[in-house]
Amino acid sequence: MDLDIESGVEAPLSKRWLWPAFLALAIVWVCGGTAALGEARFPPPEFESGHALPLTATPSPRSLAMQHVDVAALVGALGLACYLVHRRRSRRGIIALSLFSLIYFGFYREGCICAIGAVQNVALALCDASYALPMTVLVFFFAPLVVALFAGRTFCAAVCPHGALQDLVLIKPVKVPAWLDHALSVVPFLFLGAGLAFAATGSAFIICRYDPFVPLFRLTGSATLLTLGGLFVLASLFIGRPYCRFLCPYGALLRLAALASKWRVRITPDFCTQCRLCEEACPYGAIREPALTSTTPPVLVPARRRLGRLLLLLPVALFVGGWVGSKLSVPFSKVHPTVALAERYADPNKPTVMPIPATPDSLALGRAERDAPQLVAAAVDIRRRFVLSGWLFGGWTVLVVFAKLIGLSVRPDRTDFEPDRGACVACARCFMACPNERVRLGLLPASAIPTRPGPGLGTGPTAAGTKRD
Amino acid sequence: MTPRSPGEGPVSRRNFLRNGARVAALTGVGAVVGTLVHRTSSQTTVWQIDPLKCLRCGRCATECVLDQSAVKCVHSYDLCGYCELCTGYFVPEPNALNTGAENQLCPTGAIQRKYIEDPYYEYTIDEALCIGCGKCVEGCSRFGNGSLYLQVRQHLCLNCSECAIGRVCPGDAFRRVPVSQPYLLKTSH
Ligand code: SF4
Ligand code: SF4
Ligand code: SF4
Ligand code: SF4
């Protein structure tokens, strides 16, 4: 830090420090123009008593080896979760693993390192070559995703501390109406888009900043966030996983991955007798009923038409969405501290005299003053990047909404009661609702299995609700 | 899974699409990981304050996500003048150059003043008391040698993805440093 930086605040402040010695010193300093820091204004003494200088203590961060423990815990927990869901089919095991994850990744690691936030680090690393992405973060980003591509959302089931917390406190689930569920399930995708846009421009990690549970894990944080966390926990008592279903941006990614999963979570261990006993077992509204095999034209044709119209409309809507997004980039870019500072600096109404004592704001303005051209250039550059991410974010929003609508118009392909691949978080709750499962576990005699209805699949009462989702 | 009833054309078609999507997604994830893997550092980075950029605004004491800020004042003894009238220790125009609370700049009395030999005094930060407000740093940087300055104490810091102080730091003083050298200490050379 050299002279001009200091002199910006020198004059007004010196009024408070009127000791002649210091004043003289300050003058020497201002005129001298030497670097202020590390400079011995008062030369370090030579001690006659041979006094030894103490060392400046530099306590180390958490040991590096612990990172490997984190990664091992993640991989181990993921593997175990897959085993418990697909092989052991054990809700009890899932509860035990959830408890472990809640304690280790939640309260011990204080919600950081976390797969949810890792998306942003990855986005930033992709857009900013100078950002060194920690290896651990990369593993936390991709391991749950790859697992979801094969085994569904087993990460959500029992590895994610956020999910575990909400899952474990759920005592009396109430059903969220289907329309509301569908509408709100779009939100995580938008949050994901916004999180990526802000992270990629290097402005903010909003997913971390507004995480409601991390302050609870840390047992400290801003009052607003702690309250928000408390509210979410309260809601989780009655609404199954409100954060996972209606907010979590990583959940959105996992949902997509799980849609393409190789093995899906199965309610019944072998075959479905369509006894409907599991129908209401899922607190997350993920169980879908079987579809008709022969759909009568009156139902199909309007749906097809709607699909066609949606597809035709899509390009126009994408463009409009992108355009609106790019227009929003100007206000949004103010989230970036550099842009915000440049704006304040360019503001004609900004205060001209330095307040005494200096405020953080005035200090920042002082800094802006000192290298204004550089600041403005940086801000312009950041805003340009915001325009691009505005286009992408706008387009993404439209795409998500359309994908939801198209998904609603597509004929379901189920022949049995099945969990929706994307929505199911593999909690294993519904397994025990199935009499086949109980027979498998020896809790019921084989004769207790209700007989499978005749070959006319979908001719039963289920037919009426086929188009429900 | 495999279709279990006959005549399930759409099911196998969808399975085909699903397999395709999975392969595409795996390729995508693989591409991202492949791009980033040689850019990652096996070395984690941690937040640190560049003492040359810090403007001693006081936000370090208030903005940290921790109740007790992870930022504390540190002392580079080899830069210190061991002044009797330490401008990091004493308020402007102190009544007397002694350890009386009214003379001290530090709001929590976290700086210990110890007589070494005439006319030298040693100043030590009691980190348990320091709240990282930077008042002493301002005094020392402005009129002293600048041997007192703020640093993120790494054993306390949670290493948030986005440092809550860093994003509001008026000096833009926070930056990530490799974990092997987690401090930006001032030295005399
Ligand atoms: S495992 Fe069953 S109960 Fe759990 S989320 Fe999936 S469908 Fe719902
Ligand atoms: S917020 Fe920045 S300028 Fe303010 S005291 Fe901390 S490091 Fe210094
Ligand atoms: S004045 Fe502030 S920064 Fe300095 S020792 Fe006291 S509490 Fe710490
Ligand atoms: S990284 Fe987090 S814990 Fe560390 S100083 Fe910043 S806000 Fe505090």
Side-chain angles (χ1 to χ4, degrees), chain B residues 4-123:
Chain B
R4 268 159 283 120
S5 340
E8 294 291 326
V11 174
S12 40
R13 185 163 69 230
R14 271 170 213 203
N15 268 347
F16 176 75
L17 284 177
R18 182 166 286 134
N19 288 338
R22 182 165 58 252
V23 171
L26 279 173
T27 321
V29 174
V32 169
V33 173
T35 323
L36 293 180
V37 95
H38 42 257
R39 221 187 277 162
T40 59
S41 50
S42 58
Q43 266 216 38
T44 307
T45 53
V46 291
W47 290 109
Q48 195 46 276
I49 297 171
D50 183 342
L52 302 187
K53 289 172 118 187
C54 170
L55 302 173
R56 287 88 63 181
C57 70
R59 278 189 171 156
C60 273
T62 54
E63 299 295 324
C64 181
V65 296
L66 293 168
D67 261 350
Q68 285 290 315
S69 176
V71 173
K72 309 264 178 210
C73 178
V74 300
H75 198 181
S76 280
Y77 296 91
D78 55 343
L79 291 178
C80 181
Y82 282 74
C83 322
E84 185 176 10
L85 197 172
C86 167
T87 51
Y89 185 82
F90 289 110
V91 292
E93 301 171 65
N95 292 329
L97 296 188
N98 61 30
T99 54
E102 73 282 2
N103 299 328
Q104 292 189 32
L105 196 54
C106 177
T108 61
I111 308 181
Q112 283 150 11
R113 179 175 198 254
K114 190 174 116 206
Y115 174 74
I116 302 291
E117 62 180 54
D118 199 44
Y120 299 132
Y121 287 81
E122 187 164 84
Y123 299 90

Side-chain angles (χ1 to χ4, degrees), chain A residues 168-462:
Chain A
L168 291 172
V169 300
L170 177 61
I171 44 170
K172 178 125 192 43
V174 288
K175 207 168 174 252
V176 179
W179 62 268
L180 189 61
D181 199 327
H182 282 306
L184 288 179
S185 67
V186 176
V187 179
F189 290 93
L190 304 188
F191 193 22
L192 175 68
L196 291 181
F198 282 118
T201 47
S203 328
F205 280 20
I206 57 167
I207 298 175
C208 297
R209 198 184 292 180
Y210 301 114
D211 190 304
F213 295 113
V214 168
L216 294 185
F217 294 147
R218 292 178 176 165
L219 304 172
T220 161
S222 79
T224 332
L225 277 179
L226 278 169
T227 321
L228 187 69
L231 287 179
F232 262 102
V233 172
L234 234 111
S236 311
L237 299 177
F238 307 106
I239 302 169
R241 298 192 180 225
Y243 180 78
C244 300
R245 284 156 79 197
F246 307 132
L247 214 54
C248 178
Y250 194 59
L253 270 186
L254 288 173
R255 181 186 267 262
L256 290 181
L259 283 177
S261 65
K262 190 165 171 70
W263 303 292
R264 94 186 133 70
V265 175
R266 302 189 51 199
I267 302 171
T268 162
D270 30 44
F271 58 92
C272 172
T273 47
Q274 309 211 353
C275 63
R276 318 185 62 109
L277 283 174
C278 61
E279 210 175 11
E280 299 298 324
C282 179
Y284 310 122
I287 295 179
R288 306 281 185 262
E289 32 180 43
L292 285 167
T293 39
S294 56
T295 316
T296 40
V299 186
L300 201 56
V301 169
R304 280 224 174 118
R305 274 209 199 114
R306 192 162 70 227
L307 188 63
R309 251 175 287 156
L310 281 174
L311 286 175
L312 276 181
L313 207 64
L314 183 60
V316 185
L318 275 181
F319 180 80
V320 174
W323 183 79
V324 172
S326 72
K327 291 295 145 204
L328 286 178
S329 66
V330 171
F332 278 160
S333 63
K334 284 179 200 151
V335 169
H336 197 296
T338 304
V339 178
L341 181 58
E343 288 266 338
R344 295 239 310 120
Y345 177 67
D347 182 359
N349 299 324
K350 69 169 182 250
T352 44
V353 275
M354 198 73 155
I356 299 172
T359 62
D361 256 5
S362 66
L363 287 170
L365 274 178
R367 173 167 70 94
E369 196 100 38
R370 286 189 292 273
D371 45 23
Q374 212 192 329
L375 178 79
V376 171
V380 168
D381 184 52
I382 293 163
R383 186 159 278 169
R384 201 169 44 233
R385 275 187 278 155
F386 258 97
V387 173
L388 177 63
S389 48
W391 273 98
L392 291 175
F393 176 68
W396 169 251
T397 306
V398 168
L399 197 67
V400 165
V401 173
F402 269 65
K404 187 78 214 177
L405 294 176
I406 290 173
L408 291 179
S409 334
V410 167
R411 193 158 53 101
D413 63 348
R414 287 175 299 274
T415 55
D416 294 339
F417 280 87
E418 276 178 14
D420 178 278
R421 280 174 194 258
C424 169
V425 292
C427 72
R429 270 201 183 79
C430 55
F431 298 174
M432 280 296 258
C434 177
N436 289 303
E437 175 78 359
R438 287 176 174 260
V439 169
R440 181 183 77 96
L441 294 171
L443 299 173
L444 280 180
S447 58
I449 298 182
T451 46
R452 198 180 170 97
L457 267 181
T459 46
T462 54

